[in-house]
Amino acid sequence: MASRDSASSDITPEVLLRAYACGIFPMAESADDPTLFWVEPEMRGVIPLDGFRIASRLARTVRSDVFTVTVNTAFKAVIAGCAAPQPGRDDTWINKRIRDLYLGLHGLGHCHSVEVWQNGDLVGGLYGVSLGRAFFGESMFHRARDASKVALVHLVARLIAGGFELLDTQYVTEHLRSFGAVEIPRRRYTVLLDKAIKGAAADFARLPVDAPVSGARALEIIAARG
């Protein structure tokens, strides 16, 4: 289900949060399209935090710390990376209006980035929205092999440590399915969402945000939850 909105003044970061609480999120047709449309999929992608799967080769990469992983240190650069064309994806749904809205959410403490660095260069990352005990993954990118996968592993460890209950991926791709992502009907998703946004909020900063977390620590947290 989707409805188009072309009145740019109608959507603020606060309105966006209320939309997420209702299970709705915005997209654009392309980076050049100034309008947005609201989306509420019939089938929703989620990654069960107690069913997150990591291939053994990827686990070795994570444990090796060949990448350095940080959070909320380069949000603008991450969203720019997600908006840039990538192999197999010439266009993007992230337009200027999307960027501005999520930068606003970041300023409010409700949008976070995970950055992956190699030799001082940003080579991958992801960003998403936190609300209550739910985290809504928005987009990810990579410029080095496995960089976005490593970002996802560190994100999941952080969500588990912080007391999150729901990791929403919006849709399920084969890439996400390999980590345990599943599709659930809208009605089931709404039940999970309502539970996750009520009561005490999770803490994205339960793990350190001012220093990198080691890959071994991230894997230990995930293994204990599984």
Side-chain angles (χ1 to χ4, degrees):
M1 179 185 298
S3 61
R4 180 166 295 280
D5 164 65
S6 58
S8 60
S9 62
D10 288 351
I11 304 179
T12 64
E14 291 80 6
V15 169
L16 193 54
L17 277 182
R18 291 199 292 273
Y20 274 99
C22 296
I24 305 169
F25 57 89
M27 294 186 75
E29 290 288 356
S30 70
D32 299 324
D33 186 347
T35 65
L36 300 182
F37 57 92
W38 294 111
V39 182
E40 187 181 16
E42 291 288 345
M43 299 295 292
R44 194 70 166 239
V46 299
I47 296 179
L49 293 175
D50 55 0
F52 187 67
R53 299 197 299 260
I54 309 172
S56 57
R57 186 189 64 79
L58 177 60
R60 288 194 295 272
T61 299
V62 172
R63 188 174 285 107
S64 74
D65 286 329
V66 64
F67 298 113
T68 300
V69 182
T70 59
V71 297
N72 292 339
T73 66
F75 184 86
K76 286 186 178 180
V78 167
I79 200 168
C82 291
Q86 293 197 50
R89 189 188 73 188
D90 296 329
D91 204 356
T92 176
W93 53 270
I94 302 174
N95 62 7
K96 182 181 184 301
R97 193 169 164 206
I98 290 278
R99 292 198 204 194
D100 290 346
L101 281 170
Y102 288 90
L103 280 168
L105 279 186
H106 179 63
L108 294 174
H110 281 285
C111 200
H112 305 284
S113 58
V114 177
E115 304 96 15
V116 180
W117 308 85
Q118 189 171 43
N119 301 322
D121 295 324
L122 182 66
V123 295
L126 57 81
Y127 75 97
V129 175
S130 64
L131 182 63
R133 296 184 303 282
F135 189 90
F136 309 86
E138 285 297 314
S139 189
M140 60 175 60
F141 81 100
H142 69 277
R143 298 180 184 130
R145 182 183 180 184
D146 290 338
S148 62
K149 295 179 181 179
V150 170
L152 182 58
V153 170
H154 276 261
L155 171 69
V156 168
R158 182 168 292 276
L159 297 184
I160 292 171
F164 285 81
E165 295 180 2
L166 176 64
L167 174 51
D168 173 3
T169 66
Q170 299 177 348
Y171 300 103
V172 173
T173 62
E174 287 305 310
H175 169 69
L176 292 175
R177 202 179 298 277
S178 69
F179 288 97
V182 296
E183 284 185 321
I184 59 175
R186 182 192 299 165
R187 181 175 296 181
R188 173 63 179 155
Y189 173 79
T190 300
V191 171
L192 294 177
L193 176 62
D194 287 347
K195 180 175 179 288
I197 62 176
K198 291 177 181 176
D203 183 5
F204 191 82
R206 182 72 56 82
L207 288 181
V209 295
D210 55 355
V213 173
S214 72
R217 177 65 178 136
L219 293 171
E220 176 186 323
I221 292 168
I222 293 169
R225 173 63 179 260

